[in-house]
């Protein structure tokens, strides 16, 4: 469990639905942004309940970013599906659904050391350079007064990283629970590198330094698969 992330695992399906949902939230198409996105985020939650925090942020985001009646559509779809499925399955299973999904996970022991080791060992030690690029990108968004994109990126990164952090705090949280955090960090890292390269296109020394750091990040991720065979 701690070494492989198989295609057949529900984790993989949940991450696909989660990232697809987040991507759909920024679509210019009304149906994709306010109908498909909440449906995908609900399915991500229904597959793995840790995705709920992203769904909650999405509801807040729709209420903030949309105008008029549109601000109610996304939250209404997501919350209706959430409560209908939870209440329906609670009664259909005589309470076993809510016990297994909500009560039982809350009784797991917490690894206190992972409160900080998640950030020092799991994040900074492995993808520290990528994480730094994201922080710089958020900083530049503030300098450019691109407050709307700043709030969206900050909310998405924070909630998805929290999924992995909360899972690592649990005694059952093996290294495969880091995939959501690694996924969103690496995705935004790629976007940040692209913007940096565009900004530094006339600065040869700056570009060389940038590409050196990109390759250094890849070097830190090198591992030998022999031990897994």
């Amino acid at each position: 469990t701690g070494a492989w992330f198989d295609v057949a695992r529900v984790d993989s399906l949940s991450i696909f639905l989660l990232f697809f949902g987040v991507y759909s939230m920024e679509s210019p198409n009304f149906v994709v942004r306010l109908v498909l996105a909440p449906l995908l985020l609900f399915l991500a939650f229904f597959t793995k309940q840790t995705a709920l925090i992203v769904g909650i942020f999405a509801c807040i985001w729709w209420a903030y970013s949309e105008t008029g009646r549109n601000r109610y559509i996304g939250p209404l779809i997501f919350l209706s599906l959430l409560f209908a499925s939870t209440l329906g399955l609670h009664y259909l299973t005589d309470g076993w659904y809510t016990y297994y999904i909500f009560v039982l996970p809350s009784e797991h022991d917490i690894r206190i050391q992972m409160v900080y080791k998640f950030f020092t060992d799991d994040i900074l030690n492995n993808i520290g350079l990528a994480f730094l690029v994201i922080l710089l990108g958020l900083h530049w968004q503030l300098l450019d007064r691109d407050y709307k994109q700043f709030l969206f990126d900050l909310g998405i990164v924070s909630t998805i990283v929290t999924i992995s952090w909360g899972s690592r705090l649990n005694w059952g949280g093996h290294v495969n629970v880091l995939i959501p955090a690694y996924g969103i960090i690496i995705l935004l890292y790629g976007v940040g590198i692209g913007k940096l390269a565009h900004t530094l296109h006339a600065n040869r020394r700056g570009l060389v330094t940038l590409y050196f750091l990109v390759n250094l990040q890849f070097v830190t991720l090198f591992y030998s698969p022999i031990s897994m065979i």
Side-chain angles (χ1 to χ4, degrees):
T1 307
W4 300 105
F5 205 71
D6 300 328
V7 174
R9 291 180 63 89
V10 295
D11 308 62
S12 304
L13 177 58
S14 180
I15 289 175
F16 165 75
L17 295 168
L18 177 63
F19 279 47
F20 192 6
V22 169
Y23 177 76
S24 300
M25 286 175 65
E26 290 200 289
S27 172
N29 184 285
F30 169 86
V31 175
V32 174
R33 187 175 70 252
L34 294 177
V35 179
L36 179 61
L39 175 60
L40 289 168
L41 293 177
F42 162 72
L43 291 174
F45 157 79
F46 204 58
T47 308
K48 200 167 178 65
Q49 285 65 49
T50 51
L52 176 61
I53 187 174
V54 182
I56 293 173
F57 166 75
C59 291
I60 297 172
W61 176 255
W62 288 316
Y64 162 76
S65 62
E66 298 293 335
T67 57
R69 295 180 179 179
N70 287 356
R71 67 181 60 193
Y72 304 112
I73 297 175
L76 182 62
I77 292 175
F78 178 80
L79 294 175
S80 297
L81 291 170
L82 175 66
F83 284 112
S85 62
T86 301
L87 291 174
L89 287 171
H90 173 80
Y91 287 109
L92 286 173
T93 61
D94 291 327
W96 276 104
Y97 175 78
T98 48
Y99 172 75
Y100 183 77
I101 295 300
F102 299 109
V103 177
L104 194 60
S106 67
E107 297 177 348
H108 291 169
D109 292 330
I110 301 298
R111 295 186 292 178
I112 299 300
Q113 70 274 20
M114 291 309 298
V115 170
Y116 65 90
K117 280 192 172 184
F118 169 80
F119 296 99
T120 57
D121 296 359
D122 293 334
I123 300 297
L124 295 180
N125 187 53
N126 293 322
I127 52 173
L129 288 173
F131 194 63
L132 175 62
V133 168
I134 289 181
L135 294 180
L136 288 173
L138 291 172
H139 177 66
W140 286 327
Q141 286 175 349
L142 285 178
L143 293 179
D144 293 338
R145 297 185 178 181
D146 189 2
Y147 299 126
K148 188 175 182 180
Q149 191 64 49
F150 167 79
L151 290 174
F152 180 80
D153 290 346
L154 179 63
I156 291 299
V157 170
S158 300
T159 51
I160 295 182
V161 168
T162 299
I163 289 175
S164 293
W165 185 33
S167 298
R168 285 293 270 167
L169 289 174
N170 190 309
W171 273 102
H174 296 289
V175 292
N176 56 0
V177 302
L178 295 170
I179 298 298
Y182 285 178
I184 194 63
I185 289 173
I186 292 302
L187 281 173
L188 291 183
Y189 169 62
V191 173
I193 289 297
K195 290 182 177 180
L196 274 173
H198 179 74
T199 303
L200 298 170
H201 71 280
N203 186 334
R204 181 174 296 181
R205 182 174 297 179
L207 279 175
V208 170
T209 303
L210 175 64
Y211 293 138
F212 170 78
L213 292 175
V214 170
N215 283 284
L216 183 61
Q217 176 63 86
F218 280 118
V219 169
T220 62
L221 295 175
F222 176 81
Y223 78 101
S224 174
I226 297 300
S227 60
M228 301 297 174
I229 298 177

